Amino acid sequence: MTAKRARPGPRSARQRERLIAAGYRAMVRSGLEGARTRDIAGEAGITVATLHYYFPTKDDLVRAVLEHTIQEQMLAPLRLDADWDDGLAALETMITGLARHADAEPGHYRLLNEMTWAAREDATLRAMLAVWHEGWHGAIGDWLRAAQRDGRVRSDLDTGAVATMIIYLVLGMVTRPPLPAGAEDRLSEELHRLLAAFEPKD
Amino acid sequence: MTAKRARPGPRSARQRERLIAAGYRAMVRSGLEGARTRDIAGEAGITVATLHYYFPTKDDLVRAVLEHTIQEQMLAPLRLDADWDDGLAALETMITGLARHADAEPGHYRLLNEMTWAAREDATLRAMLAVWHEGWHGAIGDWLRAAQRDGRVRSDLDTGAVATMIIYLVLGMVTRPPLPAGAEDRLSEELHRLLAAFEPKD
DNA sequence: CACGTTTTCTATCACTTGATAGAAAAGTAG
DNA sequence: CTACTTTTCTATCAAGTGATAGAAAACGTG
């Protein structure tokens, strides 16, 4: 017996990509549930019916968009490849870069956020996110250990635990909560002070 | 000319509260948009029509629920009053308490999260959140300064900037992202190490 | 009880939204 | 051109969903 699968035609890969791109934009604009299939189709230059020819249900499209988001849109802002030689600089680049990006593209981080909540009830999504977080956690740990070897970060720190703290810090930061003015100004500087290998003169 | 306002009857304050409580539960369960007015009314033991007698639009109800959430449900888990004498202990109590609470009641923090995003386009909501964040930020700063006076926290730290970091850290933590197993185990311990007044023997 | 007010319900609307059926159009091969 | 496949469109459905009108019930007061 044939599985209750979608019709098997090869489809146009180009149209698929166009729909995923339009879906990403719509979800960044209106959120995961707020994005309307009609808008997405319209933005891709087709009708809803044709959208459903490529993605039988909205959930299929959402899945494809989130997968695309993780693989294409999420790694870039992290700058995991930046300045590998200088771990502290890489850390700073990542944090300030993300803060700026979160101001410019808040919808992107709202999408990441909705994804995290959705992952609680979706094993596939959770697995994808876990892989991504693992890579991120590992990269930050590597940066910290490199800086420890250079004597620029306290050698007694548990780099894994600190990496976790930094990830939490960044995840909270990109939600851009309404903190008192200037609360973020000395953040990066202060993080460096906390991690620094030697006590300042005081 | 009379303003286009709802009918002026006094209403029952008890029913209002019952609706807000039911709304809070429904939104914790299904999210801000996912909560259905029919479900909320049913949970309060009335029909949708009666709900609209108390809250002309769903948005009015949402507003009331969020206001209630900030004032009643949000301050409690922070334990801002805990162990005021010992700032570091208060900090630890807050962080571990929030981690546990976030595991037990994730929906509460999803609601807080949706609120933060909604506040971007709603000045009233943003103002309410800002007041709450300001109090939180101030309390953490007070704890840190108290611990500095006791000589248990490095005196060279900018307590405001560190308070911001801790708030970001907590906001990220309560989203419970799928980090590698055990990533959070030594978090609190490591935070203490970072803040500690003296370098360990190494 | 009688009368006015407040509260609640039944029934229904108006509209959105994801989804589908079936025809038409576009592409492909001989 | 013809026959077949792939893609797209028009038109429409079915299930919600917030909201309302208007009658009925409950309440309060003398």
Side-chain angles (χ1 to χ4, degrees):
Chain A
M1 54 193 83
T2 49
K4 202 160 73 179
R5 211 64 190 82
R7 286 146 283 169
R11 311 293 133 102
S12 152
R14 192 166 317 231
Q15 197 70 292
R16 236 187 104 90
E17 286 164 22
R18 219 174 300 171
L19 275 168
I20 289 176
Y24 171 75
R25 284 193 300 272
M27 290 174 201
V28 160
R29 222 184 309 122
S30 316
L32 218 72
E33 301 191 354
R36 301 305 172 196
T37 52
R38 278 167 173 74
D39 298 337
I40 296 172
E43 201 162 322
I46 58 178
T47 64
V48 226
T50 307
L51 180 151
H52 279 103
Y53 175 71
Y54 287 90
F55 298 95
T57 72
K58 183 185 175 181
D59 198 63
D60 292 323
L61 173 60
V62 168
R63 265 247 178 28
V65 169
L66 293 188
E67 192 163 356
H68 163 265
T69 301
I70 289 182
Q71 296 186 347
E72 307 287 325
Q73 308 281 337
M74 233 155 213
L75 297 176
L78 292 183
R79 316 287 262 121
L80 296 186
D81 54 342
D83 300 320
W84 181 270
D85 294 337
D86 184 343
L88 277 181
L91 202 57
E92 161 122 30
T93 301
M94 180 189 77
I95 292 178
T96 59
L98 281 171
R100 243 183 298 118
H101 193 226
D103 284 328
E105 291 286 345
H108 176 81
Y109 296 91
R110 178 179 59 184
L111 189 56
L112 159 62
N113 222 72
E114 291 179 331
M115 231 165 122
T116 306
W117 293 111
R120 288 195 140 254
E121 294 168 355
D122 183 322
T124 310
L125 196 53
R126 190 166 52 248
M128 294 196 299
L129 270 182
V131 169
W132 172 63
H133 277 111
E134 195 178 336
W136 190 12
H137 190 268
I140 295 178
D142 287 341
W143 292 342
L144 289 171
R145 283 183 286 279
Q148 278 181 330
R149 279 194 299 276
D150 294 346
R152 302 179 56 197
V153 159
R154 292 169 53 171
S155 59
D156 63 316
L157 295 179
D158 179 329
T159 53
V162 174
T164 300
M165 283 180 27
I166 290 173
I167 286 181
Y168 283 162
L169 186 154
V170 166
L171 289 180
M173 180 184 72
V174 296
T175 66
R176 313 269 79 187
L179 287 181
E184 194 177 292
D185 290 348
R186 308 172 62 82
L187 191 143
S188 206
E189 184 182 337
E190 211 61 17
L191 182 61
H192 275 74
R193 202 199 302 273
L194 282 171
L195 299 174
F198 305 106
E199 285 285 86
K201 37 203 162 191
D202 188 4
Chain B
M1 54 190 85
T2 49
K4 204 161 68 179
R5 212 63 190 80
R7 284 146 284 168
R11 310 294 132 100
S12 152
R14 192 164 318 232
Q15 198 70 291
R16 235 188 105 89
E17 285 164 21
R18 219 173 302 170
L19 275 167
I20 289 176
Y24 171 75
R25 285 194 299 274
M27 289 174 201
V28 160
R29 223 183 310 120
S30 315
L32 219 71
E33 301 192 355
R36 301 306 171 195
T37 53
R38 276 167 176 75
D39 298 337
I40 296 173
E43 201 163 323
I46 57 176
T47 64
V48 228
T50 307
L51 181 150
H52 278 103
Y53 176 68
Y54 288 90
F55 299 95
T57 71
K58 182 185 176 182
D59 198 63
D60 292 322
L61 173 60
V62 168
R63 262 246 179 30
V65 169
L66 293 187
E67 192 164 355
H68 162 265
T69 302
I70 288 182
Q71 297 187 347
E72 306 287 325
Q73 308 282 338
M74 232 155 215
L75 297 176
L78 291 185
R79 317 287 263 119
L80 294 186
D81 53 343
D83 299 320
W84 180 269
D85 295 336
D86 185 343
L88 276 182
L91 200 60
E92 163 123 30
T93 301
M94 179 188 79
I95 291 177
T96 59
L98 281 170
R100 244 183 299 118
H101 194 225
D103 284 328
E105 292 285 347
H108 175 80
Y109 296 91
R110 179 180 55 183
L111 189 56
L112 158 61
N113 220 74
E114 290 179 333
M115 232 165 121
T116 306
W117 292 113
R120 289 195 138 254
E121 293 168 357
D122 183 323
T124 310
L125 196 52
R126 189 165 55 247
M128 295 195 301
L129 271 181
V131 169
W132 170 64
H133 277 111
E134 194 178 338
W136 189 13
H137 190 267
I140 295 178
D142 288 341
W143 291 343
L144 289 172
R145 281 183 287 278
Q148 279 181 331
R149 279 193 299 275
D150 295 346
R152 301 179 58 199
V153 158
R154 293 169 52 171
S155 59
D156 63 315
L157 294 180
D158 178 329
T159 53
V162 174
T164 300
M165 281 179 30
I166 289 173
I167 286 181
Y168 283 162
L169 186 153
V170 166
L171 290 180
M173 181 184 71
V174 296
T175 66
R176 312 268 80 187
L179 286 180
E184 193 176 292
D185 290 348
R186 309 174 62 85
L187 189 144
S188 205
E189 184 183 336
E190 210 62 16
L191 181 61
H192 275 74
R193 201 198 302 270
L194 281 171
L195 299 175
F198 306 105
E199 286 283 88
K201 38 202 160 192
D202 189 1

